[in-house]
Amino acid sequence: MDNHLVRFLMKTLTTFQNITLIDGTGRPPLPDATVAVRDGKVVYAGKSRKWQPSLEEDIINLDFGGKFLLPGLIDCHVHLSGSGELDSRFDAPDDGAMALKMLSNARKNLAAGITTVRDLGGWNELEFAVRRSIQSGEFTGPRLVLAGRFISISESGAQHYGGMYRIADGVEEVRKAVREQIMHGADLVKLGVTGAVLVLDGVPGATHFNADEIRVAVEEAAKFGRRVAAHAHGIDGIRKAVQAGVHSIEHGTFLHQGPDVIKEMARRGTFLVPTISAGHVMVESDHANVPDWIVIKLLETQQAAIKSLRAAQRAGVPIAMGSDAATPLNFHGENSLEPYRMQQAGLKPMDCLVAATLNAARALGRDDRLGSIEEGKQADLLVMDANPLGDLKRLGDKKCIRAVFLDGKLVARQPADSYPRTVLARDCLTVGQ
Ligand SMILES: [Zn+2]
């Protein structure tokens, strides 16, 4: 047997050497650490001096010279169909253009260190085609968790977001709408339980679905092992959704008005996905280009959302990171600033980081494989020049991100950095691309 073939038959192990490990579980950073990866999975994560490589393996050692290694981030709430358009319309001239827009937005997430992206309202089912093209290896892209269409009662949002909504009124229609999304390949179900901020005549506090309609969505999804994420701003809608057993409350703007609901979420382990960025980027802009009706609504909702996040965190409600990237000025690729905005809202840096890693994986029901750097998990890794816990803004600083690995493959890097060919994805992106 020639040497070449021997090498091919031997398993290849990649080690990340000379790093400080921030593993995503909330444990303090571990200096002088080594992480070893085989077949896309972590096989060792711990102190370098305890690492014992096997002699039968071909080993590629990557020396990162004291850099920081953390899990790839997980954004639990984006819309690939939107690119931060000011008028909050996510349209494209045709389906072909929309599919390309979604693929491009997906890749911007990955090039920013977000290795898993949950889309909570796609467009004409095109997100499933985008996922297939990534899974088949045609394009490098993040791991996509998809809800399909946003299931809503008859209301004006359906006109505003034509390709995103699936209207369903009454228990039987909701049941059918849930089945349809699962038929198309949805990993979870998204339900519009209250009105929306970004729909012209949407009333965020108004409850849309009745309790029996929410219950049937949860029941039907559960039959197929799917979770339900509920878009809910107003407290009455949040209460009904929590009682019906949804797995996450998206936005949760007026949650602070219901201490009983906060308690119930903590008891059940219902996640809050606070989407602080969506309002923040518009409130912080000079408002000049944002339509007045959006600004007026936001000035009311943003403070409430921050108050609700604080109250939920204090009560022990699990928090997962979601940016709502797509909304006006809320650009894909800048969504890794959401943990920093959660910190500004009053959370500790480590809690914000865990919300974007292990807690986000828990919200997805995938913490057995994702969200932390531990033995047996997928090797989704982010290499950073400086400690993000020292300043969470670094997560959004493209100069600070050295490399992004997905399933152990290098999928994004700084252009000047070189790596062995064996770790490179066929279509490797540039950080911030
Ligand atoms: Zn959204």
Side-chain angles (χ1 to χ4, degrees):
M1 229 187 304
D2 70 25
N3 268 345
H4 210 73
L5 191 55
V6 172
R7 273 180 185 282
F8 180 74
L9 291 174
M10 281 162 86
K11 290 217 167 196
T12 307
L13 193 97
T14 308
T15 68
F16 295 72
Q17 302 272 2
N18 206 354
I19 47 155
T20 293
L21 174 65
I22 302 175
D23 68 7
T25 63
R27 280 193 282 262
L30 181 72
D32 305 318
T34 289
V35 169
V37 173
R38 184 192 294 124
D39 291 336
K41 288 200 173 78
V42 175
V43 294
Y44 178 82
K47 278 273 172 205
S48 294
R49 60 184 162 74
K50 290 193 179 162
W51 161 241
Q52 292 180 323
S54 120
L55 296 172
E56 277 97 68
E57 280 181 306
D58 208 10
I59 301 183
I60 295 164
N61 292 312
L62 304 176
D63 187 327
F64 284 100
K67 295 194 183 351
F68 292 77
L69 190 74
L70 52 149
L73 305 182
I74 300 174
D75 192 332
C76 295
H77 190 139
V78 312
H79 303 273
L80 295 174
S81 53
S83 300
E85 292 91 340
L86 275 170
D87 60 1
S88 183
R89 288 196 178 274
F90 299 173
D91 227 340
D94 52 54
D95 277 359
M98 179 54 96
L100 292 170
K101 179 182 175 186
M102 292 173 120
L103 177 62
S104 164
N105 283 336
R107 286 159 64 94
K108 281 179 193 158
N109 279 271
L110 188 61
I114 301 167
T115 47
T116 300
V117 171
R118 185 168 80 164
D119 183 287
L120 289 188
W123 203 272
N124 289 348
E125 287 79 42
L126 296 165
E127 63 279 14
F128 298 107
V130 169
R131 177 164 67 183
R132 282 193 293 276
S133 77
I134 291 171
Q135 284 175 341
S136 70
E138 274 173 87
F139 295 98
T140 289
R143 182 176 284 111
L144 294 181
V145 178
L146 303 174
R149 290 188 186 239
F150 178 116
I151 302 174
S152 162
I153 63 162
S154 293
E155 54 113 5
S156 60
Q159 257 101 47
H160 198 78
Y161 299 111
M164 188 195 294
Y165 274 48
R166 161 61 160 99
I167 287 180
D169 294 300
V171 165
E172 286 315 311
E173 277 190 40
V174 170
R175 198 192 303 278
K176 182 154 193 217
V178 168
R179 289 177 184 171
E180 274 174 19
Q181 306 321 304
I182 294 168
M183 174 180 78
H184 289 132
D187 304 292
L188 79 155
V189 168
K190 169 79 177 292
L191 208 60
V193 171
T194 72
V197 175
L198 297 173
V199 172
L200 180 54
D201 51 3
V203 180
T207 305
H208 282 183
F209 278 118
N210 297 330
D212 58 347
E213 292 167 313
I214 308 170
R215 259 198 316 272
V216 82
V218 173
E219 253 172 50
E220 201 59 31
K223 279 188 358 199
F224 301 96
R226 288 349 191 241
R227 297 184 169 209
V228 175
H231 159 111
H233 292 289
I235 188 63
D236 177 65
I238 298 174
R239 182 180 285 114
K240 287 193 167 90
V242 170
Q243 284 170 353
V246 306
H247 298 84
S248 65
I249 295 293
E250 308 295 316
H251 317 301
T253 305
F254 297 110
L255 178 60
H256 69 88
Q257 294 171 352
D260 59 312
V261 185
I262 294 176
K263 243 192 211 159
E264 186 63 8
M265 285 178 73
R267 192 185 70 77
R268 288 171 176 260
T270 314
F271 278 82
L272 174 66
V273 181
T275 67
I276 299 295
S277 295
H280 176 92
V281 290
M282 284 183 278
V283 171
E284 291 297 298
S285 74
D286 61 5
H287 302 173
N289 297 316
V290 181
D292 283 350
W293 64 268
I294 293 182
V295 175
I296 291 164
K297 274 197 203 175
L298 277 175
L299 291 174
E300 185 200 350
T301 54
Q302 191 63 9
Q303 282 314 309
I306 288 169
K307 211 169 153 184
S308 294
L309 170 57
R310 282 190 194 144
Q313 159 86 11
R314 269 198 308 272
V317 173
I319 314 284
M321 192 268 268
S323 63
D324 215 356
T327 56
L329 305 171
N330 190 8
F331 304 109
H332 290 276
E334 293 180 14
N335 29 345
S336 39
L337 283 170
E338 176 74 13
Y340 169 65
R341 289 172 185 142
M342 291 162 80
Q343 184 194 353
Q344 284 183 306
L347 271 58
K348 293 194 185 79
M350 184 59 102
D351 290 339
C352 299
L353 197 65
V354 172
T357 51
L358 188 55
N359 256 16
R362 287 183 181 129
L364 269 45
R366 298 194 184 193
D367 51 305
D368 57 333
R369 296 198 304 120
L370 306 177
S372 61
I373 304 178
E374 295 177 287
E375 280 176 32
K377 296 234 179 162
Q378 294 306 118
D380 294 354
L381 310 167
L382 181 53
V383 183
M384 297 192 63
D385 275 331
N387 187 352
L389 294 166
D391 180 0
L392 284 176
K393 272 211 293 288
R394 287 174 184 149
L395 289 173
D397 179 358
K398 306 301 187 290
K399 290 191 293 297
C400 198
I401 295 176
R402 296 294 344 153
V404 183
F405 289 80
L406 180 72
D407 292 331
K409 282 281 174 199
L410 183 70
V411 288
R413 62 172 165 170
Q414 291 289 345
D417 293 357
S418 62
Y419 289 89
R421 274 191 47 207
T422 38
V423 301
L424 275 176
R426 198 159 52 105
D427 168 29
C428 183
L429 309 177
T430 300
V431 169
Q433 185 174 310

